[in-house]
PDB file of all heavy atoms in Angstrom:
ATOM      1  N   ALA A 680      68.738 133.828  96.322  1.00  0.00           N
ATOM      2  CA  ALA A 680      69.531 135.177  96.533  1.00  0.00           C
ATOM      3  C   ALA A 680      68.840 136.188  97.371  1.00  0.00           C
ATOM      4  O   ALA A 680      67.642 136.153  97.321  1.00  0.00           O
ATOM      5  CB  ALA A 680      69.973 135.842  95.306  1.00  0.00           C
ATOM      6  N   TYR A 681      69.461 136.870  98.223  1.00  0.00           N
ATOM      7  CA  TYR A 681      68.907 137.932  99.054  1.00  0.00           C
ATOM      8  C   TYR A 681      68.865 139.289  98.166  1.00  0.00           C
ATOM      9  O   TYR A 681      69.897 139.835  97.895  1.00  0.00           O
ATOM     10  CB  TYR A 681      69.702 138.191 100.190  1.00  0.00           C
ATOM     11  CG  TYR A 681      69.128 139.339 101.102  1.00  0.00           C
ATOM     12  CD1 TYR A 681      68.248 139.182 102.078  1.00  0.00           C
ATOM     13  CD2 TYR A 681      69.683 140.624 100.968  1.00  0.00           C
ATOM     14  CE1 TYR A 681      67.791 140.086 102.830  1.00  0.00           C
ATOM     15  CE2 TYR A 681      69.202 141.557 101.754  1.00  0.00           C
ATOM     16  CZ  TYR A 681      68.263 141.383 102.692  1.00  0.00           C
ATOM     17  OH  TYR A 681      67.823 142.447 103.557  1.00  0.00           O
ATOM     18  N   VAL A 682      67.695 139.544  97.626  1.00  0.00           N
ATOM     19  CA  VAL A 682      67.528 140.642  96.698  1.00  0.00           C
ATOM     20  C   VAL A 682      66.516 141.665  97.318  1.00  0.00           C
ATOM     21  O   VAL A 682      65.328 141.396  97.541  1.00  0.00           O
ATOM     22  CB  VAL A 682      66.958 140.148  95.294  1.00  0.00           C
ATOM     23  CG1 VAL A 682      66.799 141.275  94.390  1.00  0.00           C
ATOM     24  CG2 VAL A 682      67.905 139.115  94.771  1.00  0.00           C
ATOM     25  N   GLU A 683      67.064 142.763  97.505  1.00  0.00           N
ATOM     26  CA  GLU A 683      66.156 143.928  98.036  1.00  0.00           C
ATOM     27  C   GLU A 683      65.266 143.488  99.158  1.00  0.00           C
ATOM     28  O   GLU A 683      64.147 143.656  99.240  1.00  0.00           O
ATOM     29  CB  GLU A 683      65.158 144.514  96.893  1.00  0.00           C
ATOM     30  CG  GLU A 683      66.028 145.188  95.716  1.00  0.00           C
ATOM     31  CD  GLU A 683      66.542 146.456  96.174  1.00  0.00           C
ATOM     32  OE1 GLU A 683      65.777 147.359  96.373  1.00  0.00           O
ATOM     33  OE2 GLU A 683      67.779 146.600  96.276  1.00  0.00           O
ATOM     34  N   GLY A 684      65.859 142.893 100.192  1.00  0.00           N
ATOM     35  CA  GLY A 684      65.251 142.584 101.463  1.00  0.00           C
ATOM     36  C   GLY A 684      64.507 141.250 101.423  1.00  0.00           C
ATOM     37  O   GLY A 684      63.715 141.036 102.434  1.00  0.00           O
ATOM     38  N   ALA A 685      64.480 140.490 100.373  1.00  0.00           N
ATOM     39  CA  ALA A 685      63.715 139.191 100.402  1.00  0.00           C
ATOM     40  C   ALA A 685      64.728 138.109  99.754  1.00  0.00           C
ATOM     41  O   ALA A 685      65.381 138.361  98.846  1.00  0.00           O
ATOM     42  CB  ALA A 685      62.435 139.197  99.749  1.00  0.00           C
ATOM     43  N   VAL A 686      64.476 136.866 100.203  1.00  0.00           N
ATOM     44  CA  VAL A 686      65.191 135.700  99.591  1.00  0.00           C
ATOM     45  C   VAL A 686      64.318 135.183  98.445  1.00  0.00           C
ATOM     46  O   VAL A 686      63.111 134.771  98.813  1.00  0.00           O
ATOM     47  CB  VAL A 686      65.604 134.620 100.607  1.00  0.00           C
ATOM     48  CG1 VAL A 686      66.149 133.424  99.944  1.00  0.00           C
ATOM     49  CG2 VAL A 686      66.494 135.244 101.677  1.00  0.00           C
ATOM     50  N   ARG A 687      64.874 135.152  97.272  1.00  0.00           N
ATOM     51  CA  ARG A 687      64.062 134.503  96.107  1.00  0.00           C
ATOM     52  C   ARG A 687      64.949 133.800  95.215  1.00  0.00           C
ATOM     53  O   ARG A 687      66.202 134.111  95.204  1.00  0.00           O
ATOM     54  CB  ARG A 687      63.151 135.587  95.400  1.00  0.00           C
ATOM     55  CG  ARG A 687      64.047 136.886  95.067  1.00  0.00           C
ATOM     56  CD  ARG A 687      62.900 137.636  94.333  1.00  0.00           C
ATOM     57  NE  ARG A 687      63.256 139.058  94.209  1.00  0.00           N
ATOM     58  CZ  ARG A 687      63.403 139.668  92.945  1.00  0.00           C
ATOM     59  NH1 ARG A 687      63.156 138.982  91.899  1.00  0.00           N
ATOM     60  NH2 ARG A 687      63.731 140.895  92.853  1.00  0.00           N
ATOM     61  N   ASP A 688      64.290 132.994  94.413  1.00  0.00           N
ATOM     62  CA  ASP A 688      65.001 132.168  93.260  1.00  0.00           C
ATOM     63  C   ASP A 688      65.394 133.194  92.064  1.00  0.00           C
ATOM     64  O   ASP A 688      64.482 133.815  91.620  1.00  0.00           O
ATOM     65  CB  ASP A 688      64.171 131.006  92.773  1.00  0.00           C
ATOM     66  CG  ASP A 688      64.177 130.058  93.787  1.00  0.00           C
ATOM     67  OD1 ASP A 688      65.175 129.671  94.424  1.00  0.00           O
ATOM     68  OD2 ASP A 688      63.037 129.504  94.195  1.00  0.00           O
ATOM     69  N   VAL A 689      66.678 133.191  91.772  1.00  0.00           N
ATOM     70  CA  VAL A 689      67.045 134.228  90.698  1.00  0.00           C
ATOM     71  C   VAL A 689      68.005 133.461  89.690  1.00  0.00           C
ATOM     72  O   VAL A 689      68.586 132.501  90.062  1.00  0.00           O
ATOM     73  CB  VAL A 689      67.615 135.433  91.211  1.00  0.00           C
ATOM     74  CG1 VAL A 689      66.553 136.298  91.953  1.00  0.00           C
ATOM     75  CG2 VAL A 689      68.826 135.012  92.055  1.00  0.00           C
ATOM     76  N   SER A 690      68.062 134.110  88.507  1.00  0.00           N
ATOM     77  CA  SER A 690      69.290 133.681  87.652  1.00  0.00           C
ATOM     78  C   SER A 690      69.836 135.123  87.293  1.00  0.00           C
ATOM     79  O   SER A 690      69.433 135.900  86.573  1.00  0.00           O
ATOM     80  CB  SER A 690      68.584 133.246  86.328  1.00  0.00           C
ATOM     81  OG  SER A 690      67.886 132.181  86.543  1.00  0.00           O
ATOM     82  N   ILE A 691      71.075 135.335  88.031  1.00  0.00           N
ATOM     83  CA  ILE A 691      71.801 136.608  87.897  1.00  0.00           C
ATOM     84  C   ILE A 691      72.639 136.509  86.615  1.00  0.00           C
ATOM     85  O   ILE A 691      73.560 135.829  86.523  1.00  0.00           O
ATOM     86  CB  ILE A 691      72.575 136.795  89.157  1.00  0.00           C
ATOM     87  CG1 ILE A 691      71.723 136.691  90.336  1.00  0.00           C
ATOM     88  CG2 ILE A 691      73.238 138.261  88.980  1.00  0.00           C
ATOM     89  CD1 ILE A 691      72.562 136.728  91.723  1.00  0.00           C
ATOM     90  N   LEU A 692      72.266 137.298  85.640  1.00  0.00           N
ATOM     91  CA  LEU A 692      73.114 137.349  84.365  1.00  0.00           C
ATOM     92  C   LEU A 692      74.033 138.432  84.494  1.00  0.00           C
ATOM     93  O   LEU A 692      73.716 139.692  84.747  1.00  0.00           O
ATOM     94  CB  LEU A 692      72.201 137.543  83.155  1.00  0.00           C
ATOM     95  CG  LEU A 692      72.985 137.919  81.791  1.00  0.00           C
ATOM     96  CD1 LEU A 692      73.846 136.955  81.510  1.00  0.00           C
ATOM     97  CD2 LEU A 692      71.884 138.372  80.740  1.00  0.00           C
ATOM     98  N   VAL A 693      75.375 138.245  84.457  1.00  0.00           N
ATOM     99  CA  VAL A 693      76.442 139.221  84.647  1.00  0.00           C
ATOM    100  C   VAL A 693      77.163 139.311  83.183  1.00  0.00           C
ATOM    101  O   VAL A 693      77.603 138.209  82.742  1.00  0.00           O
ATOM    102  CB  VAL A 693      77.460 138.811  85.775  1.00  0.00           C
ATOM    103  CG1 VAL A 693      78.612 139.786  85.779  1.00  0.00           C
ATOM    104  CG2 VAL A 693      76.692 138.762  87.099  1.00  0.00           C
TER     105      VAL A 693
END
Side-chain angles (χ1 to χ4, degrees):
Y681 178 88
V682 176
E683 295 288 289
V686 174
R687 53 178 163 118
D688 290 312
V689 291
S690 298
I691 307 171
L692 168 63
V693 178

